[in-house]
Amino acid sequence: MLSVILPAYNEEQMIQIAAQTISRILSDAHIDFEILFINDGSKDRTWERIEEASSADDRVRGICFSRNFGKEAAVFAGLNEARGECVVVLDCDLQHPPEKIVDMYRLWEEGYEVVEGVKSDRGRESGAHSFAAKMFYKIISRAAGFDMENASDFKLLDRKAVNVLINMREKNAFFRALSSWIGFKTTMVSYEVQERMAGESKWSTRALIKYALTNISSFSAAPMQFVTFFGVLMFIVSFVLSVIAIYQKLTGVALGGFTTMILLQGFSASIIMISLGVIGYYLAKIYEEIKGRPRYIISKETKKQTGTGD
Ligand code: UDP
Ligand code: MG
């Protein structure tokens, strides 16, 4: 069976369309499936729509978070709850074309364990946004060691890969990169990002910045190395300045040197503060991880599993 995971945050208009479109496509392709909606603390009527879809169709299930935990958490909840031998994750705004699920499934049948959906274009994005996205993917690609530029959350994973992912203890897991990091026999399916059918993008600039920072820190310690780098740079600058100062002292032309002092003071103080901030950020992340809080909290489920399941 194929489990289709759909994280949903304020997607009341999309639930029914998504469930119907995906059911139709998979039924036509004679693929046995279940659809699993994860309501990520929506503030609109998304959960009611999921309950309706679930009672209308046996193959549709829903999980409701107690509040908004973010898309990553929703994806991991889906992986945890999925019962299929393979699992596909896609956005419920259908920007990831559901027809491609069939192609992915056929590749899985051929023996591939991870099928990555790769964007053939990035859709429409504004200037500043696309620049920030480029920077983010540069850093992440570097850290992860593979090209993430066109990676997306649209993927199919074999049960083996799913089990590896759900057994990872990381709280700030970055699904998009982890699914490549785990390895396995991988292939790609390219797709064109569709226009969102209804509703609007859930990502505010603030949410995107937070998302970028969390994921960079979860995959790379490079920002901490910047600290060392600036430290070394400062050391070289101050060394040169010291040599000059001593030379001036010895030749008796030592002037006030006040400007240099001010510059050095201000400069080094700010670098120290930035560095402490970076270290503090990582400390906070470590703190978050060791507290061992759950990644998400489920408040309700439709068709709650009892006993051994199927
Ligand atoms: N989403 C979620 N939790 C959030 C934000 C988004 O589950 O806190 C879901 C959303 O419902 C959608 C998917 O993640 O199914 C992608 O979100 P969106 O379409 O807003 O992002 P974009 O396509 O604009 O990058
Ligand atoms: Mg979208």
Side-chain angles (χ1 to χ4, degrees):
M1 184 174 66
L2 165 71
S3 299
V4 182
I5 296 176
L6 298 149
Y9 176 56
N10 295 347
E11 303 277 8
E12 55 181 4
Q13 295 158 291
M14 286 309 304
I15 301 297
Q16 217 198 352
I17 307 176
Q20 283 172 355
T21 317
I22 295 169
S23 305
R24 183 176 42 76
I25 291 169
L26 294 180
S27 306
D28 288 352
H30 305 290
I31 296 173
D32 183 26
F33 67 94
E34 65 166 353
I35 294 178
L36 184 50
F37 284 104
I38 296 95
N39 174 31
D40 185 11
S42 302
K43 299 195 173 53
D44 60 2
R45 303 185 62 79
T46 302
W47 180 244
E48 282 79 355
R49 294 288 107 78
I50 294 174
E51 283 181 321
E52 283 162 22
S54 173
S55 48
D57 188 336
D58 274 350
R59 297 163 300 188
V60 179
R61 276 198 292 150
I63 294 169
C64 186
F65 280 0
S66 62
R67 63 169 170 87
N68 180 256
F69 280 93
K71 186 183 175 187
E72 300 289 299
V75 169
F76 278 92
L79 295 179
N80 251 324
E81 299 289 324
R83 303 179 198 155
E85 292 88 59
C86 65
V87 174
V88 67
V89 177
L90 73 161
D91 286 359
C92 85
D93 55 11
L94 299 187
Q95 283 188 291
H96 299 151
E99 306 80 49
K100 292 281 174 186
I101 300 176
V102 179
D103 301 349
M104 289 177 154
Y105 188 82
R106 299 288 173 238
L107 287 163
W108 175 75
E109 286 180 320
E110 282 171 29
Y112 289 99
E113 290 156 323
V114 176
V115 186
E116 304 266 358
V118 177
K119 289 175 246 182
S120 54
D121 66 313
R122 293 192 52 86
R124 63 191 162 92
E125 268 168 3
S126 65
H129 186 140
S130 97
F131 175 75
K134 271 230 161 64
M135 284 297 294
F136 171 67
Y137 284 111
K138 269 230 164 73
I139 298 177
I140 276 288
S141 302
R142 263 261 174 106
F146 31 76
D147 186 17
M148 298 280 305
E149 176 89 44
N150 293 314
S152 71
D153 286 339
F154 185 25
K155 317 177 184 286
L156 180 141
L157 302 168
D158 181 71
R159 176 49 51 193
K160 272 192 270 177
V162 172
N163 286 345
V164 170
L165 285 177
I166 58 185
N167 286 319
M168 285 197 178
R169 301 216 323 271
E170 280 177 63
K171 290 284 167 328
N172 283 314
F174 182 31
F175 177 62
R176 201 171 292 191
L178 272 181
S179 67
S180 320
W181 181 85
I182 55 172
F184 290 108
K185 193 172 175 210
T186 303
T187 184
M188 281 168 209
V189 163
S190 76
Y191 70 92
E192 265 166 45
V193 180
Q194 309 293 306
E195 293 282 316
R196 179 179 255 284
M197 272 198 204
E200 52 196 33
S201 177
K202 303 299 176 297
W203 297 93
S204 60
T205 310
R206 193 166 150 254
L208 274 178
I209 292 173
K210 199 173 148 219
Y211 178 81
L213 285 181
T214 311
N215 291 325
I216 288 171
S217 69
S218 92
F219 243 81
S220 154
M224 291 239 251
Q225 256 103 71
F226 292 155
V227 174
T228 325
F229 173 76
F230 281 122
V232 172
L233 202 73
M234 273 305 290
F235 179 77
I236 295 170
V237 172
S238 30
F239 185 77
V240 171
L241 284 173
S242 313
V243 170
I244 296 172
I246 293 167
Y247 176 77
Q248 285 179 338
K249 178 87 187 158
L250 291 180
T251 51
V253 287
L255 298 171
F258 194 66
T259 324
T260 325
M261 276 302 294
I262 295 287
L263 285 177
L264 259 181
Q265 273 289 322
F267 197 49
S268 56
S270 50
I271 285 182
I272 288 168
M273 276 196 226
I274 294 169
S275 312
L276 282 177
V278 173
I279 294 165
Y281 186 76
Y282 276 88
L283 263 182
K285 289 287 157 203
I286 295 169
Y287 179 53
E288 237 167 67
E289 293 278 342
I290 63 163
K291 271 189 294 192
R293 287 197 185 149
R295 208 160 4 197
Y296 54 83
I297 298 166
I298 295 175
S299 65
K300 289 176 276 200
E301 269 176 74
T302 70
K303 303 181 186 134
K304 196 162 167 42
Q305 243 175 314
T306 42
T308 49
D310 34 79

